[in-house]
Amino acid sequence: MAEERSPLETEIRRLIAVAGPMSIAEYMRLCLTHPQYGYYVTRDPLGAHGDFVTAPEISQMFGELIGVWVAVWQQMGSPENVRVVELGPGRGTLMSDALRAAKVVGDFHAALVVHLVEISPKLQQAQEQLLEGLGVPILWHSALAEVPSGPVIIIANEFIDALPVHQAVKRADGWHERVVEIAPSGELAIGIARDPLPHFEATLPRGLRQAPEGSVYEWRSDTVALEIGRRVRTDGAALIIDYGHAWYGLGETLQAVAGHSFTDPLRAPGEADLTAHVDFAALAQSAQIIGGRIHGPISQRDLLRGLGIDKRAAALKTRAPERAAEIDQALARLTATGPRGMGELFKALAIADSKLGKLPGFET
Ligand code: SAH
């Protein structure tokens, strides 16, 4: 019924009526970042009372270990001015824990300016509140391209998964982009564009070109990957952590989550979080083409182990024995393999200036 539609659904229907069916990527972009009704624009979705929980919200250990990683600054020759950039910083928890832990790194605090790339006014407010006491300068931007050039360390946790994905489905006459349209029943529905995508097969990874009819392929624009590679190829390093696959594959992974449960991505647009697996191979390839050196991807478990999570958990337990069970639980959740743990599903990819050699956590 019309009165039950979310305000964004009304807007999306209007756009489809005017311009025709929209790509899945355009739909996802509107759902997440529409300037008035977008999911991230209207709320703080994180935490137990929100829709999902992320690694830095599970335990301070996660951000603290990222704080160990950013000591890569020393490998960069300890530049006097360094931009510490976080893409999609959520509540600012990771940055807060990381900077606290990185206080022990020589003159690092005196050298850094923090740049936060965030489109959500609500989350920006939360970041301001949490980070103001740290005594470091902080600037906000709506895109990485706005961050001034120069030596840079870039961090992104669960950011790429929120960037829009396109989907195409293979038919006898070629690959057709999947679109959101209005079905004869009046509901929003997934359809396919009438004409096949020109020359699409040639852009696919070689192993996927013989895919059977009905196969779905998903991809993201490479704008962000190219920009990260361009930024770090001289005097820079980036650490990207997200859930996804290390190698190319077929199949759709777009999912909607609200109140910690999966829902239909077409229901109540703007009210659920939409994400899709990160294709780490594609990300690495784009960043490498433009000159970044690739490290990994490795599992989140291996990264956190390599950065010393077991020792950190032990130290925390010695300091606060009453929290031992909670700390063990967080450690397990962050590093466990299998569907309930984040250790294997989540992966870490680093992209850096090739002069830097091996990076913390990626030594093996
Ligand atoms: N890194 C945080 C939050 C992950 S949620 C954590 O681990 O807890 C995704 C974050 O990316 C949110 O801060 C969201 O507002 C931001 N975001 C999503 N799409 C964005 C875009 N296109 N540009 C900038 N920020 C975006």
Side-chain angles (χ1 to χ4, degrees):
M1 274 180 292
E3 60 269 28
E4 286 180 4
R5 282 178 193 156
S6 65
L8 186 58
E9 177 165 356
T10 306
E11 175 64 4
I12 285 172
R13 283 167 172 275
R14 190 185 69 76
L15 289 169
I16 294 175
V18 174
M22 64 175 69
S23 67
I24 299 281
E26 178 62 3
Y27 175 78
M28 190 172 170
R29 191 183 69 76
L30 288 168
C31 286
L32 295 179
T33 64
H34 182 281
Q36 213 177 340
Y37 306 124
Y39 176 76
Y40 281 115
V41 177
T42 55
R43 75 200 70 212
D44 170 359
L46 291 150
H49 300 292
D51 289 324
F52 58 92
V53 180
T54 56
E57 302 294 335
I58 290 173
S59 166
Q60 68 188 78
M61 292 187 286
F62 188 83
E64 288 170 354
L65 292 167
I66 305 298
V68 172
W69 194 85
V70 300
V72 71
W73 173 69
Q74 291 174 323
Q75 273 170 261
M76 291 163 60
S78 308
E80 259 173 51
N81 291 297
V82 66
R83 289 130 206 83
V84 176
V85 180
E86 187 176 357
L87 308 177
R91 289 179 173 164
T93 312
L94 185 159
M95 187 56 77
S96 165
D97 292 336
L99 292 182
R100 195 167 18 80
K103 275 208 172 119
V104 297
V105 182
D107 298 323
F108 183 57
H109 262 242
L112 65 87
V113 173
V114 172
H115 294 265
L116 301 178
V117 175
E118 176 58 73
I119 37 100
S120 164
K122 282 241 155 65
L123 289 172
Q124 177 173 339
Q125 237 175 26
Q127 293 152 19
E128 277 172 26
Q129 271 171 17
L130 190 64
L131 299 172
E132 67 186 357
L134 284 172
V136 295
I138 306 179
L139 296 167
W140 278 267
H141 310 275
S142 56
L144 176 56
E146 294 167 12
V147 175
S149 55
V152 67
I153 297 169
I154 301 173
I155 305 294
N157 185 60
E158 289 213 46
F159 170 74
I160 308 281
D161 67 26
L163 299 181
V165 285
H166 293 265
Q167 292 178 346
V169 59
K170 186 160 179 184
R171 291 278 185 260
D173 63 343
W175 292 84
H176 293 247
E177 180 144 22
R178 285 178 119 190
V179 292
V180 175
E181 61 187 17
I182 300 170
S185 68
E187 297 304 306
L188 289 182
I190 304 278
I192 65 168
R194 203 190 49 193
D195 298 322
L197 290 157
H199 312 295
F200 189 72
E201 194 106 342
T203 68
L204 282 178
R206 216 169 278 280
L208 302 182
R209 293 188 193 161
Q210 303 306 318
E213 256 180 65
S215 302
V216 174
Y217 182 69
E218 213 171 55
W219 75 99
R220 285 188 167 84
S221 152
D222 56 5
T223 313
V224 170
L226 290 172
E227 183 65 10
I228 294 173
R230 195 178 71 74
R231 290 295 176 130
V232 302
R233 68 186 171 194
T234 27
D235 294 329
L239 177 63
I240 296 164
I241 303 173
D242 220 311
Y243 83 107
H245 40 272
W247 197 236
Y248 302 109
L250 291 168
E252 60 174 311
T253 69
L254 178 67
Q255 64 178 41
V257 167
H260 298 270
S261 312
F262 291 108
T263 74
D264 177 351
L266 296 182
R267 261 199 52 215
E271 314 272 313
D273 185 34
L274 296 185
T275 61
H277 275 218
V278 171
D279 179 343
F280 279 95
L283 187 62
Q285 195 185 23
S286 304
Q288 191 169 29
I289 283 170
I290 203 153
R293 175 168 165 197
I294 301 304
H295 305 253
I298 60 175
S299 66
Q300 173 168 305
R301 174 195 181 87
D302 286 350
L303 177 77
L304 297 180
R305 283 255 164 95
L307 293 173
I309 196 167
D310 294 306
K311 264 200 196 147
R312 191 153 291 251
L316 277 179
K317 285 195 283 186
T318 312
R319 242 191 298 154
E322 73 286 357
R323 289 181 49 211
E326 177 203 326
I327 293 163
D328 280 335
Q329 220 177 6
L331 174 65
R333 196 147 165 220
L334 293 174
T335 59
T337 55
R340 292 202 59 78
M342 300 174 80
E344 214 165 38
L345 176 60
F346 280 73
K347 300 183 175 60
L349 175 77
I351 306 159
D353 182 339
S354 54
K355 287 197 304 283
L356 299 192
K358 288 185 176 168
L359 300 181
F362 291 83
E363 281 95 350
T364 47

